[in-house]
Amino acid sequence: MNIAGHSILTITQVANQVKYTLEKNYANLWIQGEIASCKPYPSGHIYLTLKDGQSELSAVIFAQYAKQLQYKPVSGLKVTVNGDLSLYSPRGQFQLQIRNLYPTGQGELWLAYEALKEKLELEGLFSPECKKLIPQYPSKIGIITSSEGAVLRDIIQVLNRRAPHVSCLIFPVPVQGKNAAVKISEAIESMNQYGKMDTLIVGRGGGSLEDLWCFNDEQVVRAIFASQIPVITAIGHETDTTLADYAADYRAPTPSAAAEIAAEDRQETIQYLDSISEKLYSASKQFIYVKKEKIDGFQKRHGFYKPHLVLEQWDVKLIELNRRIKQCIQNTVNSHKKMLDSLQDKIILLNPKTQLKRGFAIATDSKNNIIFSPDQVKVNDDITVRVARGILKTKVKEGKIHNA
Amino acid sequence: MPDKQTFEKSLSDLQTIIEELESDTLSLDKMVFLFEDGMKLMKICRTQLDEVENRITTLVKENDEFNEKPGIKQS
C-alpha cells in the first residue's frame, strides 16, 4: 500500500521480510552463552533462553533435535550451541532454533569434530557405496583392541561359543591417550599388510568423550577407510558415535554384537547346510521321478501298443487265409476227384470187355476188320467172332441189312 | 583368503546347482553330474565347519616381519 510516496507495510509483511533476512544471513551460527531458563514441553520441544552478561536470546530446540542431544540442557549450564536465527511472527519474537548443544569447554572439541566430520564426509569417506559387505563365513578374524579389559574377552567368548572353527588374530593397542590414534591406525595398516584374515574388529569399551577421542582422529578414520579388509567398529556405548564408526563397514553397538556380526553361528550354518543337502536329494529324486513318469506314459500310449495289436491282427488274418487256401485246395481236389470218378464210370462202360460180358459179340473178317455191315462180307467168307470167353471161327451163311 | 572364497562360493554354487536341478531342463547325465558336484561342495563346507581348532594368536612385528604368536600378548 502506498500513501504519499511511502510504502506502508502490514505487520505480517514486516515480519516476513525480517524472517527472510534472518534466515538468509544468520543460518548455521555457533553461539556461546549460558542457559538462563529451560523448559521441556510435552510435545518434545524444549524452550530456553540464553544469556550473556548484557543480552538475552530466546531459543527453541525442536523435538527431532532434542531427541538426539547428547547433553541435557539445564539452567545455569554454560553452552556452545549451533543453530539458525529466525522470527516467530505470531509473537514477534526473535528466536534461535538450536540443532545441537554442547557444554562449553567441550564445545571447542565438538567444533573441531563437526568440522572434521563435514570435511571427511565431503571426501566421501562415509559414503554407503564404499562400505564393504561383512563376510558371513570367515575363517580368521582380526581384533584390534586393548589386550586387557572386557572388550577382547567378550569378543573371544562370543566367537568361541558361536563359531569355534574360526580363529582370532589379535593386535593389541592402547585405546586412549596421546599415542592411541597413531598406534590404532598403524595396527589397521599392519593387519592389512599381513592379510590372511577375513574381517577386522576395532573395539574399545565405554568412556568419556576424551577417552574415546582417539577414534575421532583423522588418521584412524582414514586407516579404516583405506582398509581392504572389512572393518567392524565397536566403540564405547551404544549412544557414542565416533568418526571411526562412520567410516567403518559396519558399526556394532557392543563388542559382543560385533562378534555376532563377524561370524555366523555354526549350528545355524550346519542346519542351513542340512537343508541344502535335503534340497539336493529331493530335487534329484523329483527329477528322476518326473522322467520316470514320462517314460511310463510313453509305454501306455498307442505308439508302443499298436505294433502288438497290429501283429495280432495280422496273425488272425494269416490264419484265416491259411484256412481258405486249404479249403480251396480241398475243393479243387474234391471236384477233380468227382470228375475222375465219373470218367472212370464212363470208361468202364465203354470198355469192350464190358459189352462182351453182356452177351454182345465182335465180328471181324479175315483181315481183322470189324464187321459193321453185311455187305462187308460175302457168303462163305471166313469170319472170326469174338465172345466173352473166347473166339469162334465160322463162315458166312447169309447176310441181311436192316432197314433204316 | 582362499578358504573364505571356497566356503561362500561353495554356498552360492550349491544354490545354483539346486536351481538347475529344479529347473527341469536337464539331461539325465547333467543331473547326475550336478548332484555329484553338489555332494563334493557339501563335503567341503562341512569339513570347514568341523574344524574346532579356534586358535588365538597375536600379531607381532619382529625385524620388519610379521609373525603370529600363540595366545594373547600385551600391547
Side-chain angles (χ1 to χ4, degrees):
Chain A
M1 189 165 37
N2 219 298
I3 299 181
H6 295 281
S7 78
I8 315 263
L9 304 167
T10 63
I11 311 286
T12 306
Q13 281 171 326
V14 174
N16 285 340
Q17 286 185 15
V18 171
K19 187 167 171 194
Y20 176 76
T21 308
L22 282 179
E23 284 175 357
K24 186 158 175 238
N25 297 316
Y26 295 91
N28 201 23
L29 298 173
W30 285 91
I31 300 178
Q32 236 175 43
E34 185 183 307
I35 299 182
S37 67
C38 175
K39 189 165 180 188
Y41 274 63
S43 58
H45 304 323
I46 305 177
Y47 291 89
L48 13 81
T49 43
L50 299 174
K51 70 172 192 208
D52 64 15
Q54 286 111 1
S55 323
E56 229 182 52
L57 178 59
S58 292
V60 59
I61 310 176
F62 292 126
Q64 75 199 91
Y65 298 110
K67 268 195 289 205
Q68 292 176 358
L69 284 184
Q70 277 149 323
Y71 297 92
K72 187 166 174 200
V74 289
S75 211
L77 185 65
K78 291 195 170 53
V79 291
T80 306
V81 301
N82 174 239
D84 314 307
L85 223 46
S86 184
L87 180 73
Y88 184 55
S89 24
R91 290 271 168 79
Q93 197 172 41
F94 199 46
Q95 187 186 70
L96 176 64
Q97 295 172 349
I98 295 177
R99 273 178 282 132
N100 228 324
L101 176 149
Y102 310 103
T104 303
Q106 293 185 343
E108 281 72 25
L109 269 182
W110 277 109
L111 279 174
Y113 168 90
E114 292 283 343
L116 183 59
K117 180 169 172 213
E118 205 178 303
K119 167 179 161 195
L120 295 176
E121 199 166 5
L122 277 173
E123 274 186 54
L125 264 60
F126 306 153
S127 84
E129 291 87 43
C130 297
K131 305 228 179 280
K132 305 175 209 44
L133 285 175
I134 308 292
Q136 265 185 308
Y137 304 100
S139 333
K140 199 176 187 113
I141 296 180
I143 309 174
I144 297 175
T145 188
S146 162
S147 50
E148 300 106 42
V151 170
L152 184 55
R153 189 194 65 207
D154 285 348
I155 294 176
I156 291 183
Q157 230 170 43
V158 172
L159 284 177
N160 256 349
R161 174 177 45 88
R162 240 173 119 74
H165 58 291
V166 172
S167 41
C168 302
L169 178 58
I170 301 165
F171 199 117
V173 291
V175 286
Q176 65 187 62
K178 268 169 70 182
N179 260 349
V182 174
K183 292 284 180 193
I184 295 169
S185 34
E186 276 176 1
I188 297 171
E189 280 158 14
S190 300
M191 291 296 238
N192 267 273
Q193 247 183 8
Y194 182 69
K196 301 196 192 158
M197 67 203 91
D198 303 294
T199 309
L200 269 177
I201 301 179
V202 176
R204 93 139 263 155
S208 69
L209 189 57
E210 282 86 10
D211 291 339
L212 270 46
W213 200 252
C214 53
F215 291 100
N216 285 322
D217 186 284
E218 187 170 347
Q219 208 178 354
V220 170
V221 177
R222 288 193 189 277
I224 291 178
F225 181 74
S227 168
Q228 296 292 334
I229 308 170
V231 174
I232 304 174
T233 51
I235 298 166
H237 297 304
E238 202 156 333
T239 48
D240 300 313
T241 309
T242 60
L243 295 180
D245 292 315
Y246 286 115
D249 298 297
Y250 191 90
R251 190 219 159 195
T254 62
S256 306
E260 284 179 19
I261 297 294
E264 280 293 330
D265 185 271
R266 191 176 116 187
Q267 283 311 316
E268 281 177 21
T269 310
I270 290 178
Q271 277 181 13
Y272 181 57
L273 281 180
D274 283 342
S275 80
I276 292 185
S277 180
E278 175 70 41
K279 275 197 195 172
L280 262 184
Y281 275 106
S282 68
S284 306
K285 273 210 259 188
Q286 181 68 10
F287 181 91
I288 292 176
Y289 178 78
V290 164
K291 297 293 178 200
K292 197 160 177 294
E293 286 277 301
K294 264 196 185 165
I295 293 176
D296 282 348
F298 284 150
Q299 275 190 341
K300 292 196 177 109
R301 285 175 61 185
H302 257 219
F304 276 95
Y305 256 11
K306 237 188 172 170
H308 214 10
L309 287 174
V310 168
L311 283 178
E312 277 179 10
Q313 283 173 16
W314 284 54
D315 213 29
V316 166
K317 278 193 185 149
L318 273 178
I319 292 175
E320 175 65 14
L321 284 173
N322 207 15
R323 188 190 66 76
R324 280 165 66 185
I325 287 174
K326 282 199 178 139
Q327 191 70 34
C328 279
I329 293 176
Q330 196 65 40
N331 288 347
T332 311
V333 164
N334 285 350
S335 78
H336 276 76
K337 217 161 165 266
K338 264 207 191 130
M339 249 187 3
L340 274 180
D341 281 345
S342 80
L343 281 177
Q344 186 163 6
D345 285 344
K346 282 195 184 147
I347 288 180
I348 291 178
L349 270 177
L350 289 172
N351 191 359
K353 286 208 173 131
T354 315
Q355 305 297 55
L356 288 180
K357 279 200 179 124
R358 286 171 74 192
F360 292 99
I362 302 174
T364 48
D365 65 14
S366 49
K367 296 195 177 103
N368 246 344
N369 300 319
I370 297 181
I371 300 172
F372 295 99
S373 168
D375 54 20
Q376 277 177 256
V377 290
K378 293 182 307 245
V379 174
N380 266 348
D381 274 353
D382 288 318
I383 56 174
T384 312
V385 180
R386 188 178 209 165
V387 295
R389 298 199 38 204
I391 57 172
L392 295 166
K393 287 202 185 259
T394 182
K395 287 195 185 212
V396 175
K397 226 173 143 176
E398 188 188 330
K400 196 173 186 185
I401 299 177
H402 286 309
N403 291 331
Chain B
M1 252 257 72
D3 260 4
K4 163 189 83 171
Q5 285 315 116
T6 307
F7 196 101
E8 251 136 347
K9 186 153 192 308
S10 305
L11 276 190
S12 86
D13 286 347
L14 276 168
Q15 286 290 31
T16 311
I17 286 178
I18 290 177
E19 272 165 36
E20 277 191 68
L21 283 176
E22 288 173 347
S23 77
D24 204 31
T25 59
L26 286 180
S27 70
L28 191 62
D29 289 339
K30 184 111 199 274
M31 186 224 94
V32 169
F33 183 68
L34 282 178
F35 184 84
E36 282 175 356
D37 246 7
M39 288 284 106
K40 276 188 217 153
L41 287 169
M42 295 281 326
K43 186 147 185 236
I44 291 173
C45 289
R46 289 201 203 271
T47 310
Q48 195 170 342
L49 284 185
D50 285 340
E51 275 173 35
V52 196
E53 263 187 70
N54 187 222
R55 294 167 303 136
I56 301 179
T57 51
T58 306
L59 195 64
V60 169
K61 194 166 187 178
E62 289 171 349
N63 308 326
D64 269 349
E65 249 184 39
F66 286 117
N67 280 310
E68 285 187 49
K69 304 272 181 195
I72 304 174
K73 305 288 180 216
Q74 304 299 315
S75 37

